[in-house]
Structures are given as structure tokens and as C-alpha cells.
Amino acid sequence: MYFLPEELDNYVVAHSEDEPELLRQLTRETYQKILQPIMLSGPYQGRVLSMISKLTRPKNILELGTFTGYATLCLAEGVQKDGEVHTIDVNEELLDFQRKYFDKSEYGHQIFQHLGAATDIIPTLNKTFDLVFIDADKPNYVNYFHLIIDKLNPGGIIISDNVLWHGKVVEPLDPKDVSTKIVLEYNTLLKKDPRIETVLLPIRDGLTISRKR
Ligand SMILES: C[S@@+](CC[C@H](N)C(=O)[O-])C[C@H]1O[C@@H](n2cnc3c(N)ncnc32)[C@H](O)[C@@H]1O
């Protein structure tokens, strides 16, 4: 889905930073070997994540939904030298693939993989975070916010992916469509919660940046 006319969208991408070669390789192998490669953040959104991370220079980063590690590596580009990147995914089969690419990068020793449902893992993380990327299952987005907000440092950022949910947020709601219902609830929560300030950016499938006051 393009929010801009395709020609303009191509222009935007062409005049943004190119993705690093390692991420190109990761993308190629994801498309060769892994189901649903479309879940990758991709080159443009990846550069946006990298830029936000470099601008905010987080000490600790948390990602919900690692998949093959594309966004993990983009976020890691801005982490402080003594910082940590924690990333959670429920799919055990992805662990070796992720680790191979993490260790090919300069951030391998700073990236910690967690296997399991994010709702189970988050409460076990005895840390606070400066940057959180929410990109796992949509029905848990509201739960994720409530689990994370007290672990987010003042001035910390939550980036939430897929908040426009392929445009379904402005279509009539099918009562059986739990994901869209929760994404709608989530977007309202981000707008109204007084602990954060939020801007929703029409990047790819919708990317919200929320900053803790
Ligand atoms: C859209 S993909 C993440 C893409 C990745 N962040 C990127 O940008 O390349 C969503 C991931 O969330 C994981 N996931 C789904 N439900 C989950 C849950 N309850 N807890 C943790 N991870 C989950 C899936 O296994 C999948 O790998």
C-alpha cells in the first residue's frame, strides 16, 4: 500500500539513505528461506528506525517481534557503546537465523534474544528502556503498552508499527476482526494517555512515535 503516489514514494526512497549491505543479505535470505518475508520492516522503514535510534542514542532498547532481525539491527545502529538491545519473539525456529546476522554485525555482543510470548517475557526483564519498538501480534498491542509504560524512562520513545493496519482503521469494523478492533483501541490510547505525547506518521503501514513526558 502506498500513501503517496508510487512515483513520489519511489522518489522518497531514492533520496533516503541506502540500507547497509548486511541488511540486503538478510533480506535476500529471509525471502529464500522464511515464510511471510513481507513482515520485514524493509529498507525505507529500516532507515527511519535507524535514524530515530541515532537521534535518541538509547542505552537500552526493547523490540517486540524480532522476526529475522532486520529492525533489531536497524535499531542497534544508534545504541550506546555500553547499551543493550533486547528482542523478543515467540518463534523458536528463527533464533539461529537471527543470531547468524546479529553476529555478523558489530552489535552482536549487545543483542539479547528472548524466546517466548512477549506478555510473559516483558515482566521478567529487570531493566528500563529508552526506545521500544512494538511490532509483534496486534491483539496484544494494548497489553504491550500497559506492560511497557512503567519500564520506559522519562523522555523514552515507543515506536509502534502497523498502526494504520492496511487502511482498515478507517473502514467499517467487522466485529469478528479482533486485530483491527485492538489497533483502533491502541491508537486512541496513545492519543489520550497523559503520560506520553504522540505523532502518527504515515510511513509504510503507519508508524507512531510516542514520547514519555
Ligand atoms: C511483523 S514481524 C516482526 C518484524 C521485525 N520487527 C522486522 O521489522 O523485521 C512479527 C513477529 O512477531 C512475532 N510474534 C507474534 N506473536 C508474538 C508474541 N505473542 N510474542 C512475541 N512475538 C510474537 C512473530 O513470530 C513475528 O516474527
Side-chain angles (χ1 to χ4, degrees):
M1 177 169 185
Y2 291 96
F3 291 103
L4 292 172
E6 191 173 344
E7 201 180 341
L8 260 186
D9 199 89
N10 290 339
Y11 185 88
V12 168
V13 174
H15 292 81
S16 298
E17 191 73 8
D18 292 328
E19 68 179 346
E21 177 52 32
L22 182 63
L23 293 180
R24 249 189 263 274
Q25 288 172 21
L26 182 155
T27 299
R28 210 174 303 124
E29 196 172 342
T30 300
Y31 272 84
Q32 284 164 352
K33 299 189 178 160
I34 309 289
L35 289 174
Q36 291 188 278
I38 192 73
M39 292 206 287
L40 286 168
S41 269
Y44 178 66
Q45 180 166 304
R47 288 308 86 204
V48 173
L49 295 175
S50 160
M51 181 65 85
I52 294 170
S53 187
K54 286 172 179 165
L55 289 170
T56 53
R57 298 293 293 153
K59 173 103 192 271
N60 288 332
I61 299 175
L62 174 63
E63 177 185 37
L64 312 185
T66 320
F67 191 46
T68 52
Y70 189 100
T72 323
L73 288 170
C74 296
L75 294 165
E77 289 175 32
V79 75
Q80 292 180 21
K81 281 271 172 279
D82 58 345
E84 296 180 353
V85 182
H86 292 263
T87 183
I88 306 173
D89 205 291
V90 77
N91 185 350
E92 188 175 0
E93 291 171 10
L94 297 170
L95 281 174
D96 291 346
F97 187 108
Q98 296 158 2
R99 182 41 66 190
K100 179 172 104 177
Y101 279 93
F102 295 160
D103 286 345
K104 282 185 180 194
S105 81
E106 61 187 279
Y107 315 105
H109 63 290
Q110 291 174 279
I111 300 177
F112 299 87
Q113 296 156 282
H114 300 269
L115 176 64
T119 47
D120 294 336
I121 303 280
I122 297 165
T124 70
L125 298 175
N126 211 359
K127 303 204 162 286
T128 59
F129 296 93
D130 307 296
L131 180 57
V132 178
F133 182 43
I134 302 184
D135 194 17
D137 52 322
K138 308 314 144 199
N140 270 313
Y141 265 36
V142 171
N143 295 333
Y144 293 148
F145 178 83
H146 292 303
L147 286 170
I148 279 162
I149 191 67
D150 289 334
K151 291 181 183 285
L152 188 67
N153 293 322
I157 304 280
I158 301 173
I159 307 174
S160 312
D161 198 12
N162 306 110
V163 291
L164 295 178
W165 205 222
H166 320 296
K168 287 186 185 173
V169 288
V170 291
E171 292 171 5
L173 178 65
D174 172 352
K176 288 183 291 230
D177 182 351
V178 177
S179 293
T180 305
K181 184 172 163 292
I182 298 291
V183 171
L184 287 165
E185 193 184 324
Y186 182 69
N187 288 339
T188 303
L189 174 64
L190 293 185
K191 163 85 180 172
K192 293 199 167 155
D193 193 297
R195 292 170 290 184
I196 53 169
E197 51 190 320
T198 285
V199 282
L200 196 166
L201 304 175
I203 288 173
R204 212 166 163 253
D205 193 25
L207 202 64
T208 297
I209 303 181
S210 308
R211 178 184 175 274
K212 191 165 177 181
R213 296 181 198 275

